[in-house]
Amino acid sequence: MLSVDLHPYTILVGIFCILLIKQAVGRIGKSTIQEFVWLIYLKLSSNQAIRDYNAKKVELHDVNKQKRAISAQDEYAKWTKLNRQADKLTAEIQSLNEEIHQLKASIDKAANLLLMVLTTLPIWVSRIFFRKTHLFYLRKGMFPAYIEWALALPFLPSGTVGLTVWMFASNSVISNLISLVAFAFEKKVDKPVREKKVVETN
C-alpha cells in the first residue's frame, strides 16, 4: 500500500478545515450552492444557447407588445403575421429551454462532484492512510485508564489520540460553533406575552 507521511499537526489542521467546509456545506445546502454555481456560470459563460434564449425572450416580449398595441380586426394581416412570429419564437424558446435544462443538470452534477472531492473524499482517504497515525499523546495520568483507552480507539495504544477521536471531537466543536454563528441570523422570535384573564362579572 502507498505510504503517505505527513506531520501530525498538518493532519490535525487539514482534517479540521475539511470538516468545517463539510458542515458549512451541510448548513447552506447543496441545492443552494448548485444554484449559486449556476448563476456564476450564467454571468461568465458565453454559451450560444443561453445567449439565443435571452435574445429570443426579449424579441418575444417586443412582438407581444406590438400585438397588444394593434387591433386584430382592424389590422388582421399584421396581427396574424405577429402571431405567427410569436408562435415560432415560443417554440424556439421551449427548445432552447430544454437544452439549457440539460446544461444546468451537467453543471449541478459537476458542482456536486466538486463538493464531494473537497469534503467527503479527503475524509475517506485520511481514514485509510492515517488511521494508525498518532496525532498527539496524553500526559500520563491525565485521564483515568479507561478514558485513555477509549480515546485511543480503534487502532492506537492507550495514551494516544488518533484520527477517529479527533474527527469526532472536531465535528462536535464545529457543529456548536456553526450553530452559535447561525443563531445570530435566525429570524427574530417575538417575546411571549401572557394572556390576560378575563374576569366575568354577573
Side-chain angles (χ1 to χ4, degrees):
M1 183 181 284
L2 179 66
S3 176
V4 180
D5 186 20
L6 289 179
H7 192 281
Y9 180 77
T10 304
I11 300 172
L12 285 171
V13 175
I15 290 297
F16 186 87
C17 292
I18 291 167
L19 292 174
L20 179 61
I21 294 170
K22 185 177 178 66
Q23 291 220 27
V25 167
R27 174 69 70 163
I28 296 169
K30 284 186 179 181
S31 58
T32 303
I33 294 173
Q34 287 172 341
E35 198 62 36
F36 177 75
V37 171
W38 174 244
L39 291 174
I40 295 295
Y41 179 83
L42 289 178
K43 286 185 178 296
L44 301 179
S45 173
S46 57
N47 184 282
Q48 190 62 42
I50 295 173
R51 292 170 65 183
D52 289 346
Y53 177 82
N54 291 330
K56 288 184 184 300
K57 283 201 75 173
V58 172
E59 189 177 351
L60 179 61
H61 177 75
D62 290 339
V63 170
N64 285 329
K65 188 177 179 181
Q66 291 178 51
K67 276 177 61 180
R68 289 193 297 270
I70 64 175
S71 170
Q73 293 178 342
D74 297 339
E75 298 180 73
Y76 180 75
K78 184 177 181 181
W79 188 91
T80 303
K81 182 181 178 181
L82 289 171
N83 192 54
R84 284 198 300 268
Q85 190 177 351
D87 290 341
K88 182 184 176 184
L89 285 169
T90 301
E92 290 174 348
I93 287 170
Q94 287 176 349
S95 177
L96 287 168
N97 193 39
E98 290 176 7
E99 186 178 341
I100 291 169
H101 271 299
Q102 292 176 358
L103 176 62
K104 186 178 186 302
S106 299
I107 297 295
D108 288 347
K109 189 176 180 181
N112 197 41
L113 181 63
L114 180 62
L115 289 174
M116 188 192 74
V117 169
L118 289 175
T119 58
T120 306
L121 188 62
I123 291 173
W124 284 105
V125 170
S126 300
R127 283 175 172 165
I128 293 170
F129 289 107
F130 307 124
R131 65 186 185 279
K132 294 184 179 180
T133 301
H134 302 178
L135 296 183
F136 55 88
Y137 301 94
L138 301 173
R139 291 190 182 90
K140 194 170 182 179
M142 186 175 183
F143 297 109
Y146 64 89
I147 293 180
E148 291 185 356
W149 173 83
L151 292 175
L153 290 174
F155 302 109
L156 302 176
S158 183
T160 58
V161 175
L163 187 64
T164 301
V165 171
W166 174 251
M167 288 177 67
F168 175 79
S170 296
N171 265 322
S172 299
V173 171
I174 292 168
S175 179
N176 288 329
L177 286 174
I178 289 177
S179 295
L180 285 172
V181 172
F183 180 76
F185 301 96
E186 293 288 341
K187 186 178 179 181
K188 187 177 179 181
V189 179
D190 293 332
K191 183 179 178 181
V193 178
R194 182 177 293 177
E195 294 182 4
K196 295 181 179 179
K197 291 183 179 180
V198 178
V199 180
E200 294 183 2
T201 56
N202 293 329

